[in-house]
Amino acid sequence: MFVRWSNLSLDAEEQRSLPGYRDAAVVRRFDAPEALESTFYEVRAKSALNRVPAQSRMPFRWTINPYRGCLHACRFCLSGETPILMADGRHRPLSEVEVGDTIYGTRRAGDRRRYALGSVLARWSVVKSAYRIHLEDGTELVAGGEHRFLTASGWQHVVGAAPGEPERPHLSVGTALMGTGRFAAQPERSEDYRRGYVCGLVRSGGPAAEDGGRHDEALRFCLALTDVQGLARARAYLDSLPVDARERVLVPAGGGNRRADAAVEDPAPLERVRALIRWPSWPSLHWCRGFLAGVFDGAGQHSELALRILAPDPQVLRHAAQCLERLAFDTSCDRRNDGLACLRVRGGLPAHLRFFFLTDPAITRKRSIEGQPVSGSPGLRVAAIDPLGELELHDITTSTRDFIADGVVSHNCFARPTHTYLGFNAAEDFDHQIVVKVNAPEVLRVELARPSWKGEHVALGTNTDPYQWVEGRYKLMRGIWEALRDHANPCSVLTKSPLLLRDLDLMRELNERTSFSANLSIPTIDERAWRATEPRTPHPRARLEAVAALHEAGITVGVLIAPLMPGINDDPRQVEEIVELAKAAGASSIGGIALHLRGEVRQVFMGWLRGARPDLVERYEELYRRGAYAPVEERRRLAEMVRRGPFLPGSGFEDPSTRLNLRGDLAKRSPAPARAPPAAQDSLF
């Protein structure tokens, strides 16, 4: 973890203002393997001590975070031309989707994944290597290699990992994707389309009625609509054709649907209305699309099971059937129990969406697919994957953690919204735009000297690791330790990095003057699990060596098996091995903390889980359905696992964590209870 910085180059100094900081940040870029594609913003912070939110349930109230941001990259991307399914039932190119837009994604509901509405939280673009994925139905998707799509076997990346990196599930020829199938083109609002729409909307209510035989003076027609969207479109199209029609709303005495009566009283517009609703001898495809949209707005029904068109006029159904046939739909004509004829579009959700895209009805509530189950579709098997070189790609972060891209379910990047108030996007900027509080030691000294400061315990490493590799360049922790030492302020540190041994001399001095302890996080010692879950962090064995070095120096040092994740790293045999090695290294305590899923962390973790262990998704959704913490019973189970380890008995620590106290008179304690052999646990990898 020690980095030689003397031979690294620095680009010309730049300046940038970041919200929340009074002075402009100094922008630096280092030519080092670990720092490639990363930018560091040196800022002068207003404060160093940060209060820990009460809802976090931590046993301390204050922390210090000299760095903001994380270098662990997770980047997805698609071509900006990729059509995205929006909440109104239409599609829009990805490059035109904006923050705040409502889109369709998916959610788990029971044992099924279903379509659900979500919002766009962030968007960005990047230039990177791209691939073209060809599907059997003719769909072509352009995406980055890290992008993931939902398949019949769970989430899969476009391509496999680079040589030397952990294996990851990825697409191959024959892989079946999940979704609705390729999106159809949306219609142009040509004059023929507008004429067809008005004809379909008017005719769907029955034959146009002449008012009292005064056909030379007035023509009235009834639009049996309750939806403003259909009425507004009809008014706009009549105005553009043009027809001067007035509207009035009728409410039957017995309640029921409102109806809008459009009255035309000028003989000249009257003839134009008659022309609009006259059946064409051979309509264009534009007219067919508009007519079907109008008929559906006026007399259409849509549910999970069926898309129907009902009309009292047989001519309407006959023309609708002819239009559907020209657009290559499979239909059937049924008669309901009430005797009303019904034209049905067959083919399930893929056919229904194709109908909506091709015809574009105005009434969006009838186009809803919310709650419908996600399934596969004919033609969604991968036919080929071709590399394209570097292209500009786009991506969004959504509240559903995914979106529908040209008919397939597409994963998105889970941003850390806390980065947005600094003026960064909430996605990959979090991974590559690192804020460095260069004055943290000086500000801390001022804060510790204030009369209002009561000398409370300060815990470092509770948010971002203070010993991430860039600390080797800035050395902020030395000044922070010196300030805490000089004020004899109780403190502790949690890290994954042996880099903390660089400051061992200051830790000894802290240990002599006040209460100080160090903790190394070691959730697993399995090589493959470490590479897959904690890339670019020090090897777990190196962390155990740091535990031994701290113990030898007389520092109180502990090990946190954190987070403990049900079904992933809570196998008693795995926990027991870490306990045994930590004891041998001289750990004074061993803690186990159940996984917390607060805020953005929930989205990040659940997205990862869907790709790595889709079989556990339902279990975790149930465990964390009430909030950021697992149920008390589950936390107690995990706590007991660490507390009653087979090597040494121990006493509990306040929930949600537990500790094995390896000091004290163990002979006075009762032996650990006997346990049944551990149940088999599926491997994560």
Side-chain angles (χ1 to χ4, degrees), residues 384-567:
I385 302 175
D386 300 325
L388 298 176
E390 291 198 343
L391 296 175
E392 182 182 23
L393 301 176
H394 299 252
D395 207 354
I396 54 177
T397 293
T398 69
S399 59
T400 58
R401 306 183 289 268
D402 56 13
F403 54 91
I404 315 304
D406 206 0
V408 297
V409 182
S410 170
H411 207 284
N412 62 215
C413 182
F414 304 122
R416 283 70 161 175
T418 55
H419 228 45
T420 59
Y421 89 91
L422 297 174
F424 299 121
N425 70 51
E428 64 177 21
D429 279 356
F430 187 86
D431 304 323
H432 296 292
Q433 311 294 323
I434 311 301
V435 177
V436 184
K437 302 176 184 177
V438 294
N439 65 334
E442 293 83 357
V443 172
L444 177 61
R445 281 189 178 277
V446 173
E447 293 177 320
L448 294 177
R450 290 173 179 165
S452 59
W453 177 248
K454 304 304 181 183
E456 294 186 60
H457 183 95
V458 177
L460 288 94
T462 63
N463 189 5
T464 56
D465 196 330
Y467 282 102
Q468 57 182 290
W469 65 263
V470 75
E471 166 62 16
R473 162 65 174 82
Y474 287 101
K475 300 182 175 63
L476 296 178
M477 288 303 300
R478 288 197 65 81
I480 290 171
W481 292 137
E482 288 170 350
L484 291 166
R485 175 203 61 191
D486 294 346
H487 287 83
N489 202 98
C491 53
S492 61
V493 64
L494 170 63
T495 181
K496 298 177 182 180
S497 174
L499 180 59
L500 86 167
L501 295 178
R502 180 202 63 190
D503 300 330
L504 189 57
D505 58 328
L506 293 171
M507 293 177 186
R508 285 197 186 99
E509 295 174 10
L510 273 164
N511 198 43
E512 293 171 358
R513 299 199 58 183
T514 186
S515 171
F516 175 78
S517 63
N519 290 275
L520 275 294
S521 172
I522 310 175
T524 181
I525 57 171
D526 180 82
E527 182 86 14
R528 295 181 64 196
W530 161 62
R531 290 187 181 278
T533 60
E534 293 189 334
R536 304 176 194 164
T537 61
H539 196 288
R541 304 270 177 188
R543 300 180 221 178
L544 286 167
E545 292 172 2
V547 171
L550 289 162
H551 170 69
E552 187 177 347
I555 304 297
T556 301
V557 59
V559 167
L560 282 179
I561 308 174
L564 277 169
M565 299 172 282

Side-chain angles (χ1 to χ4, degrees), residues 348-366:
L349 182 57
H352 299 170
L353 276 183
R354 181 169 172 266
F355 175 87
F356 295 144
F357 293 147
L358 286 174
T359 65
D360 192 27
I363 302 174
T364 58
R365 70 171 178 82
K366 291 187 176 184

Side-chain angles (χ1 to χ4, degrees), residues 553-595:
I555 304 297
T556 301
V557 59
V559 167
L560 282 179
I561 308 174
L564 277 169
M565 299 172 282
I568 295 177
N569 69 336
D570 65 335
D571 187 321
R573 291 167 295 188
Q574 296 179 16
V575 174
E576 290 165 6
E577 186 176 6
I578 297 176
V579 169
E580 183 179 32
L581 292 172
K583 174 194 170 186
S588 301
S589 63
I590 300 174
I593 301 179
L595 175 69

